[in-house]
Amino acid sequence: MAPHDISSLDKQIKALNRRLKLLAEDDELRELLRLIRGPGWTTPSEHKFVTTIVVALDAHVNAIASLKTNLLEGSRQVGVQGVKQAA
């Protein structure tokens, strides 16, 4: 990607936005809620297994949310600084 290839960056941001929306709309975790209430999901090892992954997924979602917030805040600052420098 060229240093100022805004078109390519625009496409990447739009693709990321689509993927995040699809991930948020996915019903697989609802299925997981149904599965863990079924027979066989009663042992401590199964509980530990699922809990560990749920905690890790939650941490990743929190990290993504923080990255997205910081990306937007930083981009706003770059835009403001660029306008001030041009003036």
Side-chain angles (χ1 to χ4, degrees), residues 5-87:
D5 188 356
I6 299 300
S7 176
S8 179
L9 183 57
D10 183 85
K11 289 176 186 173
Q12 288 178 310
I13 293 168
K14 287 177 180 175
L16 175 62
N17 192 51
R18 284 190 301 272
R19 291 186 67 209
L20 288 171
K21 282 182 181 180
L22 287 173
L23 186 61
E25 294 170 357
D26 194 331
D27 286 338
E28 288 179 332
L29 292 179
R30 287 190 190 143
E31 180 183 2
L32 178 60
L33 288 171
R34 182 184 59 77
L35 291 171
I36 64 173
R37 288 175 172 79
W41 283 92
T42 56
T43 67
S45 60
E46 289 157 345
H47 184 271
K48 176 70 172 173
F49 171 73
V50 173
T51 300
T52 300
I53 294 175
V54 168
V55 168
L57 283 169
D58 188 54
H60 286 287
V61 168
N62 288 334
I64 290 169
S66 178
L67 284 167
K68 187 179 82 161
T69 297
N70 287 314
L71 173 64
L72 191 56
E73 288 175 359
S75 295
R76 286 180 182 133
Q77 290 175 7
V78 169
V80 169
Q81 289 173 358
V83 169
K84 287 180 183 177
Q85 289 175 356

